[in-house]
Amino acid sequence: MEFELIAKTFMGLEPVLAQELTQLGANNVQIGRRMVSFTGDKEMMYRANFQLHTAIRILKPIKHFKARSAEDVYAEVQKIDWSQYILEGKTFSVDTVVYSDDFRNSRFVTYKVKDAIVDQFREKTGKRPNISVANPDIRLHIHIANDDATIALDSSGESLHRRGYRQESVEAPLNEVLAAGMILMTGWKGDCDFIDPMCGSGTILIEAALIARNISPGVFRKEFAFEKWPDFDQNLFDEIYNDDSQEREFPHHIYGYDIDMKAVNTARLNVKAAGLSKDITVEQQDFKNFKKPEQKSIIVTNPPYGERISTPNLLGTYRMIGERLKNAFGGNEAWILSYREECFEQIGLKPSLKIPLYNGSLECEFRKYVLFDGKMKDFRSEGGIVKTDEEKREMAQKHRFKKNREFKQRLEEEESNEEGDIRSFKFHSFQAPGSRSPRRFGDDDFKGRKRGGDDFKGRRDDGDFKGRRRGDDFKNRRRGDDFRGHSDRGNRRGSDKFGKNRRFEDED
């Protein structure tokens, strides 16, 4: 049976998430503001949490209703039979996002929802469920836009950007979901070498490896919220978790560099924790010493902006980036995420594509540069393409950027991207970049497609991966202590020691 689902994401990543959902086999995919709605069954909901690279949360709506006051919210919430979702002895929490003049205090809405649920249980059973903010059994999410309200079950729990492989971090690390979205925007799927010359803690490198090998980012997670639901299907999730049918080999390599040795060591630690040392090499190197790679490559990088991270000579750094790209990266393409127009100007190269993208509250641009040796006239005469027809159409679209856009302008919303990412549940059809007519995902050509667990399967070359389901505290959890230190595919699927296709080890 199919039901409505909502995948939340960051502003600017909605088209990428819509494409991911379509490829996953979701139906009725429609894009909204910082979210994508779709329909699917329980398997689709599990897969969306486990396999999507650009989602930060998957919600399952329970009820849509009209509400102009807190009393309306209380009355409508009381109409739901909460015994279906919250079993005796279980705890719950409520997150609230409000965009309405009728509701000026989201906390008051939260209290009304909690009161309605607690009062219903007290009236029916004489007992009340407890509230748990830190680790609830059931997470609820209520969203109000004007007088349109939706209450939903949060199937993810902790934000999906928290993959679980990050052991240490540098200052202002790039969000994992944003990094994955940037890589998917480039169209790179592992068809050449990949380079991040300013890699920091290695987030872009690791997300690139997951995409290249088709590894499900959820494989690192300790748990998902839906695993505590009354109708959780353990066997179905085990099957999804252990499905390596879509995993692929990666014949090329990923290289990361940073001038800071502390960042290099941090990136190496994170790469090792993700079990991807075979695919990723991290070295200390100043970008000014960057030399042309021997193999065809793509650069994706996130240099300092002068906001949370700066350098002694910020504009000089960007001039150096432009010089190295022009003189040491001909025949390839580079993608750069940055914040200040004056920084882009110092690069001194004409981008073929500019994509508005938010990094937290900063309204950035993700720019593509096609590098070639010699003159552009000669490059084009030899069949070189600086800007595709699709890119020309996309760049020609008006209002892609705010008029008289200021790079220092911040989002005015008090809510962060993660918590305030759905403006309305009146969704519009998804329109692919560059297209002139609406294009609906989820047509008959896509219905029923299930691409199988994106992957991972046992590339664990680290000695100790934090957060794994392996200790005595996780009885009957994934892998068990014997998983530590292994790197072959059989470990995750279950070797002879664990039994064929078996994800959990009986510890009794």
Side-chain angles (χ1 to χ4, degrees):
M1 182 180 66
E2 289 203 352
F3 43 82
E4 179 186 0
L5 289 162
I6 295 168
K8 300 169 68 177
T9 191
F10 296 119
M11 189 179 297
L13 297 184
E14 300 95 340
V16 182
L17 176 56
Q19 291 170 343
E20 276 202 280
L21 281 164
T22 299
Q23 292 170 351
L24 197 61
N27 294 322
N28 303 309
V29 178
Q30 298 183 66
I31 197 167
R33 190 175 189 270
R34 289 189 284 195
M35 52 74 60
V36 178
S37 68
F38 62 105
T39 60
D41 56 12
K42 186 181 294 186
E43 178 183 355
M44 177 55 60
M45 184 181 68
Y46 291 176
R47 287 191 181 278
N49 276 283
F50 189 68
Q51 296 179 212
L52 293 175
H53 295 266
T54 56
I56 59 174
R57 196 171 303 282
I58 307 298
L59 301 177
K60 179 184 179 184
I62 298 173
K63 182 181 178 66
H64 301 281
F65 56 91
K66 295 287 185 178
R68 291 191 176 275
S69 67
E71 288 68 28
D72 291 343
V73 172
Y74 180 93
E76 292 295 334
V77 171
Q78 273 239 317
K79 294 178 182 179
I80 301 169
D81 180 4
W82 288 104
S83 63
Q84 300 179 63
Y85 309 106
I86 306 173
L87 300 183
E88 184 176 350
K90 299 298 183 180
T91 61
F92 75 98
S93 68
V94 180
D95 293 323
T96 304
V97 175
V98 175
Y99 300 103
S100 173
D101 293 335
D102 296 324
F103 301 90
R104 298 187 179 276
N105 192 327
S106 62
R107 289 187 179 181
F108 188 56
V109 175
T110 299
Y111 295 146
K112 280 296 184 181
V113 173
K114 290 179 179 179
D115 288 346
I117 296 172
V118 168
D119 290 349
Q120 184 186 101
F121 275 97
R122 186 184 288 116
E123 292 168 5
K124 289 184 176 181
T125 67
K127 299 179 182 180
R128 54 158 289 170
N130 292 321
I131 310 298
S132 174
V133 177
N135 189 30
D137 296 307
I138 302 297
R139 297 173 182 264
L140 302 174
H141 181 97
I142 183 167
H143 177 274
I144 301 177
N146 298 319
D147 62 347
D148 293 318
T150 296
I151 189 163
L153 293 169
D154 178 356
S155 70
S156 303
E158 191 175 37
S159 174
L160 296 176
H161 86 270
R162 295 189 174 98
R163 311 291 202 213
Y165 59 68
R166 191 191 293 275
Q167 306 296 287
E168 292 185 6
S169 183
V170 296
E171 186 180 0
L174 191 66
N175 182 284
E176 292 87 339
V177 163
L178 178 58
M182 289 164 53
I183 296 163
L184 291 173
M185 282 179 177
T186 72
W188 183 83
K189 294 290 181 65
D191 49 336
C192 67
D193 285 355
F194 185 101
I195 301 171
D196 182 355
M198 297 179 169
C199 68
S201 60
T203 303
I204 291 178
L205 305 176
I206 295 171
E207 293 298 322
L210 299 183
I211 290 169
R213 303 199 72 107
N214 214 18
I215 295 171
S216 294
V219 75
F220 302 101
R221 295 266 297 196
K222 179 180 175 181
E223 65 181 2
F224 297 92
F226 61 73
E227 294 183 73
K228 294 183 178 180
W229 290 7
D231 64 346
F232 174 56
D233 189 331
Q234 183 75 69
N235 292 331
L236 175 60
F237 187 48
D238 288 354
E239 182 180 346
I240 293 170
Y241 190 98
N242 290 306
D243 181 5
D244 64 353
S245 62
Q246 298 300 310
E247 185 177 345
R248 55 178 174 247
E249 294 299 320
F250 176 47
H252 302 285
H253 202 72
I254 297 170
Y255 299 92
Y257 305 98
D258 203 283
I259 192 174
D260 184 1
M261 194 62 208
K262 180 180 178 182
V264 169
N265 289 332
T266 298
R268 287 174 176 172
L269 182 63
N270 292 335
V271 168
K272 184 179 180 182
L276 296 167
S277 296
K278 175 184 174 183
D279 305 301
I280 303 172
T281 299
V282 185
E283 301 289 346
Q284 183 183 27
Q285 177 179 279
D286 192 332
F287 196 4
K288 69 181 181 182
N289 299 321
F290 181 78
K291 297 181 180 179
K292 186 170 183 176
E294 296 181 1
Q295 304 294 329
K296 181 176 176 59
S297 307
I298 184 174
I299 282 179
V300 178
T301 194
N302 175 42
Y305 306 159
E307 290 292 313
R308 295 181 296 175
I309 300 178
S310 188
T311 62
N313 184 2
L314 184 66
L315 297 183
T317 297
Y318 279 82
R319 283 195 297 271
M320 177 269 294
I321 291 173
E323 185 274 331
R324 283 293 81 200
L325 291 179
K326 182 177 180 180
N327 294 295
F329 207 57
N332 300 296
E333 67 180 51
W335 293 72
I336 298 176
L337 179 72
S338 194
Y339 172 55
R340 297 174 180 270
E341 182 64 37
E342 53 266 39
C343 290
F344 281 120
E345 290 175 353
Q346 295 301 315
I347 292 177
L349 299 171
K350 186 176 181 180
S352 60
L353 186 62
K354 302 177 186 178
I355 302 175
L357 207 57
Y358 278 87
N359 184 3
S361 63
L362 301 180
E363 186 182 14
C364 299
E365 284 185 15
F366 191 39
R367 295 191 178 185
K368 175 185 178 182
Y369 298 90
V370 176
L371 291 312
F372 53 88
D373 299 316
K375 298 181 179 180
M376 183 179 293
K377 181 179 179 181
D378 296 333
F379 175 71
R380 285 176 169 169
S381 66
E382 294 173 359
I385 299 175
V386 176
K387 189 181 298 184
T388 66
D389 291 339
E390 182 178 348
E391 290 168 349
K392 291 178 181 177
R393 288 193 297 269
E394 186 169 349
M395 289 292 287
Q397 291 177 10
K398 295 181 179 180
H399 311 303
R400 294 179 66 252
F401 301 94
K402 292 181 180 178
K403 187 176 181 181
N404 301 322
R405 176 168 167 261
E406 294 290 337
F407 268 74
K408 287 189 176 182
Q409 184 176 355
R410 305 299 179 92
L411 286 176
E412 295 179 355
E413 292 89 342
E414 294 181 358
E415 301 291 340
S416 67
N417 261 325
E418 178 183 346
E419 297 302 330
D421 57 2
I422 306 177
R423 280 286 182 174
S424 172
F425 283 86
K426 297 178 181 178
F427 306 131
H428 302 286
S429 297
F430 170 70
Q431 186 167 347
S435 63
R436 296 187 178 275
S437 59
R439 175 182 165 197
R440 285 288 295 270
F441 284 122
D443 292 337
D444 292 339
D445 290 341
F446 297 107
K447 288 183 178 179
R449 289 181 58 191
K450 299 289 185 289
R451 287 188 51 173
D454 262 25
D455 18 350
F456 188 69
K457 321 318 177 249
R459 268 177 298 278
R460 300 290 177 268
D461 52 8
D462 58 310
D464 186 12
F465 181 79
K466 293 181 182 179
R468 289 279 175 220
R469 295 181 170 178
R470 49 173 163 73
D472 292 336
D473 293 335
F474 297 103
K475 190 174 182 180
N476 294 328
R477 293 292 195 182
R478 294 168 187 153
R479 305 178 189 85
D481 286 326
D482 294 301
F483 181 80
R484 297 173 62 181
H486 291 274
S487 61
D488 61 294
R489 177 180 300 181
N491 282 320
R492 196 188 129 225
R493 294 203 55 150
S495 59
D496 292 339
K497 179 174 182 177
F498 295 98
K500 186 177 181 182
N501 296 336
R502 186 166 167 230
R503 178 163 63 97
F504 289 77
E505 178 187 9
D506 294 330
E507 297 181 286
D508 292 335

